[in-house]
Each structure stands twice: as structure tokens, then as C-alpha cells.
């Protein structure tokens, strides 16, 4: 079948010069791309590509290069197969097309991003030149799964190309070394040419220090900054929050407000997210309600914060307000809602929200959504239903999902299923200590002590060590760290005396230790002694000593709280009238970092300037391509 453009559109694209000439080809592709919206979607680009094919421009180098540039700016990113096909169709690709392929790889998933360095090697072998746009895109791709050695190789190439003093290239290296945790290298690049620094340079290094928990270095750099923007303030606040120094983070926020500076939405969302996740619910509610404009990020932060604290009904009410405001929920929104249902035991509501997500909003469930539903069913004792859900997933379940189910098997005493899942997990991740501990817990619950010993021996044989648990607690601007049975703290004697007093008071109030979490075949009295010196109990005792009664005791842990310590904390709240907030470090680290990639924004602007120079000003008008059905389907099939 022969395909032709419609008569009306054919007239619109009627050339004024012979179509066989180079000028004719340039004239024919420009109207097609100029009709695209300012921020086109993937379907827009596929329709434009189909139109180029109809016009006989399937191999036109400039057209395909500009389509590739538009692909690189898509959010969500284009499928890797599509932009690879675009690049492969370009005869003798130049540096502009090659840079945009690197940019596409940088925006794609980690698997595609790993191809950036081999592609750069191909560019060198093929004689394609590099410029100061090449290295920022290449390093952004390498930062998705950073390997220090690869970055040093790229760094040496940038020096050989004479680009070591280029501002954008230098900023890219600071960001890359920071993402690798190689902060000494990042600082060396930062200090090497003091005259070649801008606000992005300062923010990139500040982000590296904050993410690494080096708050002293971050504060020193923050104090030296010649200027600060909302990114700078958000970064230093989140650095303190992540390290457990919430009070210091809030102090910085108060400083920002006290200076009379405009507090932008990003900083407010940072404070909202931090305060909600770390238990300052009144502050988070106040911050949320005072926001003049609340975007999806703000709603998501509040929903996820309430969910973290098990406030299921309040989370669902807030979700209804969100929907009533006409906003469209994202995958993150539903992670918060489903997490709230899981923690509050709202099985029916969780099932309804999962169905709403898929059927009403067309959001494809991701691993996090399945994790929430499996956790919901597992907590409710519906372990076999959760197992069937995992077996019927459209994607391969990851170890985290199996770990959630294994934990449910341990709680509900499902030994056979638990052993099967535990062995599967150990095969998948033999170096992960948590899988051995959970499997040993399943055996211990059934009092199969010989099997517990076998698991421990297997763990030792493979050189896998159990991560030591610790707790952080901030008091008067200082963060104190405790480990189980800690005797190293300067106030250790007083802490243990206070803990003995607390246990005595709780026992009088009816507290009885649950020693099922102790995975040793020892007497109950010895198990009580083991469990009473868990790190969070020492932190709570210290908090009772030094934290004012009007203030909550906030603790950050690196491992999940055991069941008895959870009950212990609740009893302390009841008997002593003290508010206690315990968070997992992983939860705190997963707070959304609102540090924008300004350096990429700069390079995107430069690329747009080049693009406009080559194809003229982009005109915003609706897409009116009348593409024949079969041809459109052929092109759209690439997206599957």
C-alpha cells in the first residue's frame, strides 16, 4: 500500500525550491519540527517522525539529529530502543547528534546509562570530535551507577582535550566525584581554579558533603558561599536531617526565615518532608497549610509523612482532599497511600486504592506498590494471598519483596513457606546478612535450634557478618550514638542506672518482655538481659536524662526496631508521658533531595540555542499531522 500525506497538509508543505537540493531538504523538515509544542511528549515525536517518513526524510541527518535532541529532553525518558534506532539511522553522525545520544542515555535507566562510556569510546574510535557539552552528559550518565575508576579515565580525556578549565565540565566532575563519595577529589577540582566557579559549583560540593553526612564540612562551605539560592538552603537542611541533627536543620530554616528571605516551595517541601518523616507532625501540618501553592510534591510529602506514622485514616482523608483539588496522583502518591493502609491494617481500603491506581489513573504498578500490598496482606495474616500476588506479577519480584513476605512468615509462624523463601533469598543475595537473620528467626520461632545453628554456620562460611545495630539521638546540638550493650558513652553508668529504673517502672505497669527476637538457645532470663540492652533502649534512657519534658525524644536507627522494643517505647510513652519518635535511617535517606541539576539545565539551554540556530524558532501550535494508520502503528510499535 502506498501512503501519501493528505491534500491539505501536502499544500502546507509545498516547497519553494527543488526538493532534490539540500536547501529543499532543509525546507521540508523545518515545518514538521516547528509544529511541535514547546514541551512535546513521546507520542508527539513519534507522529513527527512518521511525518518525516511520509515526506521521504527518513535518512535526513538534520531532521533525525533534532528528533534525537527532543528525545533527550523528554520526561519521562524515551525508550532506549527508540533513540538508539534514531541515532543508528543517521549517516555520519556529528558531535551534536552524539552528544544528544549521551544525553538520552543519561536520562534513561541504569542499564542504558551503563552504555554511555562504551559509546564515548566508539565516538573516539570513529573520529567524532568532543566538546564541552560531551563531558557533562557523559558524566551524568556515569553518575547513575558511579564507578570511580571510570570517572578518572573520563577526567584524563577532558584534560587531554584542553577542557579542564571549562566551567560546565568542572561542575560535572565535582558532581560525579561527590556521587562516588570521593569528596577529596571533588574538593580538589573545586579548589583547583577558584576563578572558575559559580553557584552550581558550590551547590554540587555542598550536596556531596551533606549526602555523606559531613555536616561540619557542609556548614563550613555553606558559611563561605558568596551567594545562596533555595537549593543551597534545602541541601544544608536535608544534610542535618539525614545525619539525625533535626534540631540543627530546623535552626537553619529559622535562620532563613529570620533573614527575611523568600522561602520557595522547594525549601518548604524539604522542611515539610523532614518534619513529617521525623515525627514533627504539628510543624509539618502547619507548614503544609501555610503554603500558598501546593504542588504534587508538597502533597506527596505530607501524604508519605502521615503514612510513615501509621495515620491511615488521616492519610486517606488528605488523599481525598488531594483528588478534590483536581490534581492527578503519581506513583509516589499511591506509595504513600498504600503504605498508610498497610501500617494501619486497612486491607479493604488498600485493595480499593490499588485498583484505583491501575484502572482509574492507568499507573503501572512498580515494585514499591507491590511491596506495600504484600506488606498489607502479610501484616493481616493473608500470607498465602500475598504469595499468590507475587507469583502473578508481570515483572520479576526483587529480593526486597521476598524479604517482606519472609518477615510475614516469621511473624505468623509459617515455617515451610518461610524456609522456601529464605533459601531462595540466600541464593539471590548470598552476601545480604538480613536474609540469614530472617531465616534463622523463622527457625527460632519454631524452636528448631539446630537449623538456627546451621544458618549461622552458613553465614560464617560465606564471610557474611550481621550488621551491628546502632541508634542516634540528638541532644543540645550534639548527636550521640549508641550500640547494643554500649559501655563507651561518657555517661554510660548513669544511662544503665536510668534504664534499670525505667524497666522497673514499666514492669510495675504490666510490661513483660517478648524474647522471641533473640535467636539463641538460651534461658529466658538470659534473653531478657540481651534484649534490654538494645541500642534504642539506651538512647531512650539517655533521652529521659537530658531532653526537656516538653520536647520529644527523637531517635534514628540503622535497623528495624524489634517487636519488644516497639512495645517498650509505647510503654515508656504511657508511663512517663514522653513522646518518642523512632525512624529508620533508610527512611530518612530516602527523603526527596530537592537539589536540582543546574549544570544540566545550563547545557540544555546551550543545546537549545544550537538547535534554534539550525532549525529556526520553535513555534508553539497544536499538532495537526494526519498520518496514515498503518505507518503510524509501525512507528508507535517502537514504544512497546
Amino acid at each position: 500500500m502506498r501512503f501519501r500525506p493528505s491534500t491539505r497538509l501536502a499544500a502546507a508543505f509545498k516547497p519553494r525550491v527543488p526538493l532534490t537540493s539540500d536547501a529543499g531538504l532543509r525546507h521540508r523538515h523545518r515545518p514538521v519540527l516547528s509544529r511541535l509544542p514547546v514541551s512535546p511528549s513521546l507520542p508527539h515525536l513519534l507522529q513527527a517522525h512518521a511525518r518525516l517518513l511520509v515526506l521521504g526524510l527518513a535518512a535526513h541527518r538534520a531532521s533525525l539529529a533534532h528528533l534525537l535532541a527532543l528525545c533527550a529532553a523528554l520526561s519521562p525518558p524515551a525508550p532506549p530502543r527508540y533513540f538508539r534506532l534514531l541515532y543508528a539511522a543517521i549517516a555520519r553522525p556529528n558531535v551534536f547528534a552524539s552528544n544528544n545520544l549521551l544525553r538520552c542515555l543519561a536520562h534513561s535507566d541504569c542499564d542504558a546509562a551503563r552504555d554511555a562510556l562504551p559509546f564515548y569510546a566508539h565516538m573516539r574510535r570513529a573520529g567524532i570530535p568532543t566538546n564541552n557539552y560531551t563531558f557533562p552528559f557523559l558524566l551524568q550518565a556515569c553518575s547513575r551507577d558511579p564507578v570511580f575508576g571510570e570517572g578518572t579515565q573520563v577526567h584524563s580525556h577532558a584534560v587531554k582535550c584542553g577542557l579542564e578549565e571549562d566551567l560546565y565540565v568542572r561542575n560535572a566532575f565535582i558532581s560525579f566525584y561527590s556521587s562516588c563519595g570521593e569528596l577529596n577529589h571533588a574538593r580538589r577540582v573545586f579548589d583547583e581554579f577558584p576563578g572558575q566557579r559559580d553557584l552550581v559549583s558550590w551547590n554540587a560540593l555542598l550536596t556531596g558533603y551533606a549526602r555523606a553526612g559531613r555536616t561540619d564540612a557542609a556548614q563550613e562551605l555553606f558559611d563561605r558561599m558568596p551567594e545562596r539560592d533555595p537549593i543551597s538552603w534545602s541541601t544544608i537542611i536535608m544534610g542535618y536531617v539525614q545525619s539525625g541533627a533535626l534540631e540543627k536543620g530546623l535552626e537553619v530554616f529559622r535562620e532563613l526565615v529570620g533573614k527575611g528571605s523568600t522561602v520557595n516551595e522547594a525549601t518548604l517541601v524539604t522542611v515539610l518532608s523532614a518534619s513529617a518523616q521525623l515525627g514533627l507532625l504539628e510543624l509539618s501540618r502547619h507548614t503544609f497549610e501555610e503554603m500558598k501553592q501546593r504542588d504534587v510534591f508538597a502533597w506527596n510529602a505530607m501524604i508519605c509523612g502521615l503514612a510513615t506514622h501509621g495515620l491511615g485514616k488521616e492519610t486517606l482523608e488528605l488523599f481525598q482532599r488531594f483528588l478534590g483539588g483536581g490534581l492527578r496522583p503519581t506513583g509516589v502518591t499511591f506509595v504513600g497511600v498504600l503504605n498508610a493502609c498497610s501500617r494501619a491494617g486497612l486491607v479493604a481500603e488498600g485493595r480499593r486504592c490499588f485498583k484505583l491506581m491501575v484502572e482509574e489513573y492507568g499507573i503501572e504498578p512498580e515494585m514499591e506498590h507491590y511491596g506495600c500490598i504484600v506488606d498489607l496482606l502479610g501484616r493481616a495474616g493473608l500470607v498465602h494471598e500475598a504469595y499468590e500476588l507475587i507469583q502473578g506479577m508481570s515483572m520479576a519480584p526483587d529480593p526486597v519483596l521476598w524479604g517482606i513476605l519472609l518477615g510475614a512468615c516469621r511473624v505468623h509462624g509459617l515455617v515451610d513457606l518461610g524456609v522456601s523463601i529464605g533459601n531462595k533469598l540466600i541464593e539471590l543475595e548470598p552476601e545480604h546478612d538480613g536474609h540469614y537473620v530472617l531465616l534463622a528467626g523463622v527457625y527460632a520461632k519454631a524452636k528448631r535450634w539446630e537449623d538456627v545453628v546451621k544458618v549461622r554456620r552458613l553465614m560464617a562460611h560465606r564471610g557474611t557478618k550481621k550488621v551491628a545495630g546502632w541508634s542516634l539521638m540528638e541532644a543540645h546540638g550534639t548527636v550521640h550514638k549508641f550500640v547494643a550493650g554500649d559501655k563507651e558513652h561518657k555517661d554510660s553508668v548513669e544511662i544503665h542506672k536510668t534504664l534499670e529504673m525505667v524497666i522497673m517502672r514499666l514492669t510495675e505497669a504490666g510490661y513483660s518482655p517478648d524474647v522471641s527476637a533473640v535467636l539463641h538457645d538460651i534461658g529466658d532470663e538470659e534473653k531478657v538481659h540481651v534484649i534490654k540492652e538494645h541500642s534504642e533502649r539506651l538512647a531512650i534512657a539517655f533521652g529521659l536524662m537530658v531532653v526537656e519534658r516538653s520536647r520529644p525524644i527523637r531517635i534514628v536507627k540503622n535497623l528495624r526496631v524489634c517487636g519488644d522494643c516497639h512495645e517498650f517505647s509505647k510503654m515508656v510513652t504511657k508511663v512517663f508521658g514522653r513522646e518518642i519518635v523512632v525512624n529508620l535511617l533508610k527512611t530518612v535517606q530516602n527523603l526527596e533531595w530537592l537539589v536540582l541539576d543546574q549544570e544540566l539545565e545550563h547545557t540544555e539551554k546551550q543545546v537549545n540555542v544550537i538547535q534554534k540556530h539550525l532549525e529556526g524558532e520553535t513555534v508553539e501550535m497544536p499538532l495537526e499531522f494526519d498520518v496514515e494508520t498503518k505507518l503510524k502503528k509501525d512507528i508507535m510499535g517502537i514504544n512497546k
Side-chain angles (χ1 to χ4, degrees), residues 201-218:
S201 315
W202 289 88
N203 281 341
L205 186 60
L206 182 69
T207 301
Y209 283 137
R211 284 180 170 165
R214 294 178 57 179
T215 51
D216 290 343

Side-chain angles (χ1 to χ4, degrees), residues 299 318-329 333-334 356 361:
W299 285 94
L318 187 66
F319 179 57
Q320 290 303 317
R321 279 181 58 192
F322 171 83
L323 296 179
L327 291 171
R328 186 176 181 85
T333 314
F334 279 104
L356 180 73
Y361 293 101

Side-chain angles (χ1 to χ4, degrees), residues 342-364:
S342 171
R343 290 172 179 266
L346 304 174
V347 178
E349 290 84 350
R351 285 174 170 155
R352 180 181 62 80
C353 290
F354 190 81
K355 184 177 180 181
L356 180 73
M357 177 184 77
V358 176
E359 297 182 1
E360 181 71 19
Y361 293 101
I363 297 175
E364 191 72 24

Side-chain angles (χ1 to χ4, degrees), residues 41-252:
S41 64
L42 179 61
H44 289 150
L45 297 190
L46 293 172
Q47 290 183 58
H49 192 178
R51 189 63 194 164
L52 290 172
L53 293 176
V54 169
L55 293 173
L57 297 170
H60 187 240
R61 189 166 80 165
S63 304
L64 297 179
H66 293 127
L67 269 180
L68 194 60
L70 293 169
C71 268
L74 286 178
S75 180
R81 184 184 172 213
Y82 179 59
F83 61 69
R84 291 178 199 274
L85 287 173
L86 272 179
Y87 185 82
I90 300 174
R92 301 183 307 281
N94 58 14
V95 65
F96 176 71
S98 300
N99 283 348
N100 276 297
L101 182 63
L102 283 172
R103 191 175 166 203
C104 288
L105 292 170
H107 289 177
S108 297
D109 56 41
C110 286
D111 287 339
R114 290 190 190 100
D115 292 336
L117 199 58
F119 174 71
Y120 173 72
H122 162 76
M123 286 176 62
R124 303 293 295 175
R125 288 193 299 268
I128 300 172
T130 56
N131 57 25
N132 62 332
Y133 309 124
T134 306
F135 292 101
F137 294 144
L138 174 60
L139 286 164
Q140 188 189 11
C142 291
S143 296
R144 298 294 300 277
D145 187 14
V147 177
F148 175 64
E150 293 179 352
T152 56
Q153 293 179 53
V154 176
H155 198 162
S156 67
H157 270 261
V159 172
K160 288 178 181 178
C161 293
L163 294 171
E164 69 271 21
E165 294 187 38
D166 183 86
L167 178 62
Y168 302 121
V169 174
R170 297 181 62 75
N171 287 345
F173 279 113
I174 295 170
S175 296
F176 174 80
Y177 287 130
S178 296
S179 68
C180 292
E182 297 289 342
L183 293 173
N184 290 337
H185 284 78
R187 186 61 184 253
R188 192 177 305 154
V189 175
F190 179 83
D191 290 337
E192 194 173 11
F193 295 100
Q196 289 294 95
R197 294 196 297 231
D198 63 0
L199 184 57
V200 179
S201 315
W202 289 88
N203 281 341
L205 186 60
L206 182 69
T207 301
Y209 283 137
R211 284 180 170 165
R214 294 178 57 179
T215 51
D216 290 343
Q219 185 65 57
E220 180 269 333
L221 188 72
F222 185 77
D223 293 337
R224 286 180 50 209
M225 291 181 73
E227 61 174 318
R228 301 164 183 163
D229 68 354
I231 295 170
S232 315
W233 289 97
S234 297
T235 302
I236 193 69
I237 292 170
M238 286 305 300
Y240 280 117
V241 170
Q242 176 179 302
S243 65
L246 177 63
E247 291 294 338
K248 183 63 178 176
L250 294 177
E251 182 184 316
V252 174

